[in-house]
């Protein structure tokens, strides 16, 4: 483990020795110096795969601008977290990303760019999730190229996002909305598809969402002048599943291990790559393969944790990445996660027509289902990874968090005695970090005792 | 005994509910409840209705994520059959929205049939409520009201504005029934429920549908037809969806707009700051002073 400068010190050597690909050509301090000040606060896993990971994450904006220069169609997928990018990757000339990812900008920039204030000026102020930063990023246009196409799921989504994406549309960024119905329980006698997690999805919902995807395909065909077919879609699904399998391997080996190789911070970032492959599927695959290779080669680097650490399961992504570093500072290790996109980690069915398979993936999103369905999945994974404590981190202003943390707590405490704390983590948890530390330390203490 | 229900969404067709023996618990019911940070007061209020045995059942929709999640909580506390959650399409695309809505209305009919023991014949007629085709006349000028659930008793609110020589019209808050234009020639029955569902959802202009351009068009048309001089946007503190509507109204409304964040539990006439704002707004839009 080390800091940004430790990483920089290894960069040239690893490049000379061929341990990192030639295109991993950024030093982390270069991002720091151009404004990503939070990087200076974080503690990293000093290994070639980790450097590859950080390079990919931090250079995404450059990659998107390059894609625009090279004439590729830039697609902004919003809210569905994991399905539209798979569909888009079937097209040869598209590059897809999630503008939702702007919610990390206040963290990376340590709020210095005032994106949250700018979002307030644009009509979406405090009280709404930091995803509202997206508005400022669109309007001011210096973070990424404005997408040629924008697709957002609506229906069973959180109120914050629904309001923000509507506002985006009003500001002149035309969004194509597609329906994701609430994942209700199937009625008696209703024709259903049972997904890999045992969820009974009404078949007519699958057909409805598949129809929405067909419309998205048609819109993209017009924009790209490329005809789509089932074979291309099936290949895209297989490729996505390969990436999901690599992430599965990493999660199983790291979260279930008493002495995990990769720390919480890198694991969180790595999981995020499942959403849209960080806008480059081929590079993403290479990076994940290097992570797996490092993981299997136990002589290469020392594990980050020892067996005396408290295994903690973490629910919800954190607006401030520093929370993951803090977790380990308090004597814990990450033993499982539920970052609101389990459906992007689960394999997409390969035994269905491709658009229906993608519809199943979208309808398997736990955020569109009942809170109990999500709590049950959390409980299963807590048991699978042997976690002994749970942290539910609330996202400031997010409409779902006010309900969920309480319901998840009730559900889990009715079934186990595993301690659970819920915390609110701001985009930059400067002033609150000591409170967070105290609460995390108390949780760790109660587990280890 | 009729089933005592609380129906919270305008997307739940009254025409359909009227076919069943239901007693509607109205917003004028006074009941103590505990507000919770981050959660719309409506949720706490409906929970109190359950807790104090005022209702047997809540009919809610997926339009608002808070209601969707509150459904889970209420089901856990009061039983699965205590709540019906209607999946209301958010997209405005005709075919997808109509199909989903028709399925959902079928489910709602099944639910109400089961709960009330009333089973309907296929030729049972459904009647939509027509909008008046001309503006209402009044001695006083109109001020439009729009927004989330308005829990302050409507009669008191009307009286409040009337005392200040204004008439509250049009009222497009969530608790008001949905009115339809140009539908008088269509006769609907349960047999052609899909036609009813299509016509209903296509005419349902709500902020929850995306994009919600038609909501503003409909609002401004009503404002124009009824010569409203201003718009009051009322919302509860934790409502994210209505919160952002104010920005849009501010940009495109043809008449002045005022935002009123309504605390559910307070008598607004005791809030001197709000009263001053309301009075100033009415003065701005040119009421008749006496």
């Amino acid at each position: 483990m080390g800091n940004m400068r430790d990483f920089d010190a290894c960069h040239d050597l690893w490049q000379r020795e061929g341990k990192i690909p030639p295109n991993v050509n950024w030093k982390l301090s270069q991002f720091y110096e151009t404004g990503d000040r939070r990087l200076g606060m974080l503690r990293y896993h000093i290994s070639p795969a980790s450097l590859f990971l950080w390079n990919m994450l931090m250079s995404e904006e450059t990659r998107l601008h390059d894609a625009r220069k090279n004439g590729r169609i830039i697609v902004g997928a919003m809210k569905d977290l994991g399905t539209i990018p798979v569909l888009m990757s079937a097209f040869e000339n598209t590059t897809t990303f999630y503008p939702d990812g702007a919610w990390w900008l206040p963290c990376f920039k340590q709020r210095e760019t005032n994106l949250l204030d700018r979002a307030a000026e644009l009509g979406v102020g405090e009280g709404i999730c930091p995803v509202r930063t997206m508005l400022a990023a669109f309007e001011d246009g210096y973070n990424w190229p404005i997408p040629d196409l924008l697709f957002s799921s609506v229906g069973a989504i959180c109120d914050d996002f629904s309001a923000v994406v509507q506002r985006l549309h009003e500001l002149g960024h035309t969004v194509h909305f597609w329906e994701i119905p609430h994942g209700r329980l199937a009625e008696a006698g209703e024709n259903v598809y049972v997904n890999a997690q045992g969820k009974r999805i009404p078949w007519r919902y699958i057909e409805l969402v598949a129809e929405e995807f067909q419309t998205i395909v048609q819109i993209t065909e017009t924009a790209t002048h490329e005809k789509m077919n089932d074979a291309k879609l099936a290949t895209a699904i297989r490729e996505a599943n390969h990436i999901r399998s690599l992430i599965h391997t990493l999660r199983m080996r790291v979260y279930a291990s008493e002495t995990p190789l990769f720390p919480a911070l890198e694991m969180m970032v790595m999981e995020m790559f499942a959403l849209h492959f960080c806008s480059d599927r081929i590079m993403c695959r290479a990076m994940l393969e290097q992570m797996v290779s490092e993981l299997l080669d136990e002589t290469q680097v020392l594990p980050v944790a020892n067996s005396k650490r408290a295994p903690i399961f973490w629910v919800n992504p954190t607006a401030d990445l520093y929370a993951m570093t803090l977790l380990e500072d308090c004597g814990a290790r990450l033993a499982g996660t539920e970052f609101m996109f389990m459906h992007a980690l689960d394999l997409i069915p390969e035994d269905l027509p491709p658009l229906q398979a993608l519809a199943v993936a979208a309808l398997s999103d736990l955020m569109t289902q009942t809170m109990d369905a999500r709590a049950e999945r959390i409980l299963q994974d807590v048991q699978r990874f042997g976690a002994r404590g749970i942290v539910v981190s609330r996202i400031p202003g997010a409409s779902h968090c006010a309900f969920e943390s309480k319901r998840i707590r009730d559900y889990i405490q009715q079934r186990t005695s595993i301690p659970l704390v819920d915390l609110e983590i701001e985009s930059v948890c400067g002033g609150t970090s000591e409170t967070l530390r105290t609460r995390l330390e108390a949780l760790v203490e109660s587990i280890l005792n | 005994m009729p089933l005592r229900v609380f129906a919270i969404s305008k997307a739940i067709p009254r025409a359909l509910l009227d076919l069943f023996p239901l007693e509607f618990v109205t917003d004028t019911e006074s009941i103590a409840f505990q507000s919770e940070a981050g959660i719309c007061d409506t949720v706490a209020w409906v929970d109190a209705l359950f807790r104090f045995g005022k209702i047997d059942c809540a009919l809610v929709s997926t339009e608002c994520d808070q209601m969707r999640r509150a459904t889970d909580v209420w089901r856990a506390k009061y039983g699965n059959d205590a709540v019906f959650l209607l999946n209301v399409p958010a997209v405005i695309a005709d075919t997808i929205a109509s199909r989903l809505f028709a399925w959902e209305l079928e489910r709602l009919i099944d639910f109400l049939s089961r709960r009330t023991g009333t089973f309907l014949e296929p030729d049972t007629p459904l009647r939509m409520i027509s909008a008046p085709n001309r503006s209402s006349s009044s001695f006083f000028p109109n001020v439009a009201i729009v927004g989330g659930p308005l829990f302050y008793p409507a009669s008191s609110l009307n009286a409040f504005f009337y005392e200040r020589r204004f008439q509250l019209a049009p009222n497009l808050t969530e608790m008001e029934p949905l009115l339809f234009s140009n539908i008088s020639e269509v006769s609907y029955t349960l047999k052609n429920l899909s036609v009813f569902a299509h016509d209903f959802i296509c005419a349902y202009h709500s902020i929850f549908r995306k994009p919600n351009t038609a909501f503003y068009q409909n609002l401004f048309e009503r404002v124009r037809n009824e010569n409203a001089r201003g718009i009051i946007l009322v919302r509860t503190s934790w409502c994210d969806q209505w919160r952002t509507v104010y920005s849009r109204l501010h940009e495109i409304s043809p008449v002045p707009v005022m935002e009123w964040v309504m605390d559910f539990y307070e008598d607004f006439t005791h809030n001197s700051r709000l009263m001053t704002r309301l009075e100033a707004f009415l003065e701005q839009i040119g009421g008749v002073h006496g």
Side-chain angles (χ1 to χ4, degrees):
Chain A
M1 297 292 285
N3 61 25
M4 187 177 67
R5 303 286 168 199
D6 297 327
F7 243 150
D8 281 358
C10 300
H11 183 275
D12 294 342
L13 175 69
W14 287 343
Q15 203 152 54
R16 276 198 305 277
E17 290 177 350
K19 287 184 175 173
I20 49 174
N23 55 356
V24 178
N25 48 12
W26 293 87
K27 287 184 176 170
L28 223 49
S29 57
Q30 289 175 277
F31 298 109
Y32 176 84
E33 279 150 20
T34 53
D36 293 309
R37 313 302 282 187
R38 202 60 172 163
L39 294 176
M41 282 287 290
L42 305 177
R43 206 177 50 253
Y44 304 93
H45 181 65
I46 306 295
S47 79
S50 177
L51 181 59
F52 195 169
L53 173 100
W54 285 102
N55 249 262
M56 238 197 118
L57 177 72
M58 300 309 296
S59 61
E60 184 175 19
E61 287 173 15
T62 308
R63 211 157 41 248
L64 290 170
H65 283 290
D66 288 348
R68 165 62 50 80
K69 278 185 213 147
N70 294 331
R72 294 178 68 80
I73 299 292
I74 309 290
V75 179
M78 292 189 283
K79 194 58 198 174
D80 68 287
L81 300 183
T83 309
I84 293 295
V86 179
L87 178 56
M88 286 299 131
S89 69
F91 288 90
E92 282 176 20
N93 200 32
T94 59
T95 296
T96 308
F97 76 109
Y98 277 99
D100 321 18
W103 89 306
W104 265 352
L105 288 174
C107 164
F108 280 112
K109 313 290 182 196
Q110 296 206 142
R111 289 195 164 187
E112 284 176 17
T113 49
N114 296 324
L115 287 168
L116 291 168
D117 295 339
R118 179 78 180 108
E121 284 170 21
L122 293 166
V124 186
E126 275 189 25
I128 289 192
C129 157
V131 79
R132 64 198 166 97
T133 312
M134 182 171 81
L135 291 178
F138 265 98
E139 280 299 281
D140 297 342
Y142 55 76
N143 293 100
W144 55 63
I146 301 299
D148 300 292
L149 298 172
L150 282 170
F151 299 112
S152 177
S153 57
V154 282
I157 68 168
C158 55
D159 289 335
D160 310 74
F161 200 88
S162 182
V164 170
V165 75
Q166 172 62 42
R167 190 74 190 127
L168 185 67
H169 190 79
E170 286 163 5
L171 291 170
H173 302 280
T174 306
V175 180
H176 174 83
F177 295 101
W178 59 277
E179 185 80 27
I180 182 80
H182 166 65
R184 63 171 171 80
L185 299 174
E187 302 281 324
E190 194 172 13
N191 197 7
V192 296
Y193 177 87
V194 182
N195 74 5
Q197 291 69 46
K199 158 82 181 163
R200 293 158 54 81
I201 304 170
W203 188 255
R204 52 189 178 180
Y205 278 16
I206 295 171
E207 289 179 335
L208 187 123
V209 173
E211 213 172 296
E212 289 283 48
F213 289 162
Q214 185 60 54
T215 305
I216 290 171
V217 165
Q218 285 162 1
I219 292 169
T220 315
E221 280 178 336
T222 305
T224 58
H225 309 292
E226 181 186 348
K227 192 77 192 146
M228 189 41 54
N229 59 43
D230 276 2
K232 290 180 187 175
L233 287 165
T235 304
I237 289 173
R238 272 197 304 278
E239 284 291 329
N241 278 344
H242 181 74
I243 283 173
R244 291 175 186 211
S245 301
L246 291 168
I247 293 174
H248 176 77
T249 303
L250 285 160
R251 293 181 88 240
M252 292 306 292
R253 294 289 291 254
V254 171
Y255 294 150
S257 168
E258 286 195 353
T259 54
L261 180 64
F262 289 110
L265 182 59
E266 274 77 5
M267 287 302 286
M268 179 166 80
V269 173
M270 181 279 295
E271 284 197 23
M272 298 283 171
F273 279 40
L275 302 182
H276 67 286
F277 322 123
C278 209
S279 71
D280 187 333
R281 191 179 62 190
I282 294 168
M283 195 171 170
C284 175
R285 177 176 170 159
M287 185 277 295
L288 290 169
E289 282 171 347
Q290 187 160 347
M291 278 187 89
V292 171
S293 157
E294 258 182 33
L295 184 74
L296 300 178
D297 180 4
E298 291 172 358
T299 61
Q300 201 167 1
V301 268
L302 290 171
V304 65
N306 58 49
S307 56
K308 286 184 185 158
R309 286 176 174 264
I312 303 281
F313 191 95
W314 196 283
V315 179
N316 290 336
T318 60
D320 188 350
L321 284 86
Y322 176 66
M324 292 290 108
T325 297
L326 189 62
L327 176 75
E328 285 167 350
D329 281 352
C330 295
R333 65 175 171 85
L334 199 59
T337 58
E338 207 288 33
F339 287 147
M340 293 169 44
F341 53 80
M342 292 308 296
H343 62 293
L345 305 180
D346 295 328
L347 296 182
I348 303 165
E350 293 187 25
D351 57 348
L352 288 174
L355 291 183
Q356 290 181 349
L358 290 169
V360 167
L363 286 160
S364 299
D365 180 354
L366 292 166
M367 298 302 290
T368 69
Q369 299 173 26
T370 64
M371 292 188 290
D372 284 4
R374 189 170 183 223
E376 177 56 31
R377 178 71 186 263
I378 289 167
L379 186 58
Q380 283 172 10
D381 280 358
V382 162
Q383 287 162 348
R384 174 181 309 170
F385 295 124
R388 290 171 56 204
I390 301 171
V391 173
V392 180
S393 69
R394 275 180 282 119
I395 300 161
S399 63
H400 56 95
C401 287
F403 284 94
E404 271 182 336
S405 47
K406 202 170 165 197
R407 184 66 203 142
I408 290 169
R409 176 197 291 269
D410 289 351
Y411 189 93
I412 286 171
Q413 289 185 341
Q414 281 161 13
R415 289 160 180 81
T416 70
S417 56
I418 293 175
L420 182 151
V421 294
D422 68 278
L423 314 162
E424 180 161 292
I425 296 187
E426 294 175 25
S427 295
V428 179
C429 53
T432 57
S433 61
E434 281 313 303
T435 311
L436 293 178
R437 180 186 294 275
T438 307
R439 298 198 63 199
L440 288 171
E441 280 174 349
L443 177 66
V444 168
E445 208 173 301
S446 70
I447 293 167
L448 295 181
N449 288 342
Chain B
M1 284 285 282
L3 189 71
R4 294 167 309 155
V5 300
F6 183 78
I8 192 110
S9 168
K10 285 166 95 158
I12 302 172
R14 187 63 191 246
L16 206 148
L17 300 182
D18 284 344
L19 303 177
F20 294 91
L22 306 177
E23 179 191 326
F24 293 96
V25 174
T26 67
D27 50 332
T28 54
E29 190 85 40
S30 169
I31 199 159
F33 70 93
Q34 182 80 45
S35 276
E36 207 171 322
I39 296 179
C40 171
D41 279 349
T42 319
V43 174
W45 191 77
V46 175
D47 190 73
L49 289 178
F50 273 120
R51 226 164 354 101
F52 290 105
K54 302 277 185 190
I55 55 172
D56 305 307
C57 173
L59 305 175
V60 296
S61 84
T62 55
E63 291 166 288
C64 159
D65 191 45
Q66 296 215 17
M67 282 297 148
R68 189 164 72 90
R69 295 179 184 282
T71 297
D72 294 350
V73 176
W74 294 330
R75 281 184 177 153
K77 282 163 87 171
Y78 308 112
N80 273 344
D81 264 0
V83 194
F84 181 84
L85 180 65
L86 187 81
N87 234 328
V88 177
V91 292
I92 52 170
D94 256 16
T95 51
I96 296 274
S98 302
R99 200 146 26 110
L100 175 58
F101 198 55
W103 297 338
E104 288 299 296
L105 294 188
E106 282 171 17
R107 283 204 315 119
L108 176 61
I109 291 170
D110 288 348
F111 175 84
L112 291 173
S113 298
R114 198 173 68 244
R115 287 294 321 253
T116 63
T118 304
F119 296 90
L120 304 167
E121 295 298 324
D123 55 359
T124 305
L126 287 158
R127 198 178 62 82
M128 292 221 231
I129 307 167
S130 306
N133 53 13
R134 58 196 166 93
S135 62
S136 56
S137 58
S138 164
F139 179 73
F140 296 134
N142 285 352
V143 59
I145 189 158
V146 65
L150 189 57
F151 284 91
Y152 201 84
S155 56
S156 311
L157 207 62
N158 282 327
F160 171 83
F161 282 94
Y162 205 74
E163 275 169 25
R164 281 147 187 86
R165 304 190 168 212
F166 267 93
Q167 180 177 255
L168 214 48
N171 184 341
L172 296 173
T173 53
E174 283 183 35
M175 300 305 289
E176 287 305 297
L178 198 56
L179 304 176
F180 296 89
S181 316
N182 308 320
I183 49 117
S184 53
E185 69 278 13
V186 183
S187 59
Y188 302 98
T189 62
L190 287 184
K191 210 161 30 191
N192 62 12
L193 186 67
S194 59
V195 180
F196 173 83
H198 172 270
D199 290 359
F200 186 101
I201 205 66
C202 290
Y204 180 48
H205 309 308
S206 147
I207 61 154
F208 304 112
R209 317 255 346 254
K210 298 291 183 271
N212 60 25
T213 321
F215 160 78
Y216 294 103
Q217 286 166 351
N218 179 56
L219 168 64
F220 298 148
E221 194 181 315
R222 295 285 301 276
V223 163
R224 201 169 41 246
N225 287 347
E226 303 193 32
N227 295 319
R229 292 187 182 183
I231 298 171
I232 295 174
L233 167 68
V234 60
R235 67 170 176 87
T236 55
S237 307
W238 300 102
C239 179
D240 295 336
Q241 300 253 24
W242 281 108
R243 185 195 294 262
T244 47
V245 168
Y246 181 64
S247 309
R248 187 59 176 161
L249 276 178
H250 217 64
E251 285 166 355
I252 61 172
S253 171
V255 292
V257 184
M258 176 191 157
E259 184 182 37
W260 175 0
V261 182
M262 183 177 264
D263 280 327
F264 210 90
Y265 41 82
E266 84 168 1
D267 179 347
F268 73 92
T269 58
H270 293 166
N271 182 333
S272 56
R273 188 171 167 270
L274 174 66
M275 289 298 289
T276 308
R277 284 183 62 226
L278 270 172
E279 304 258 2
F281 181 71
L282 296 179
E283 197 171 308
Q284 182 199 349
I285 62 175
V288 182
H289 294 275

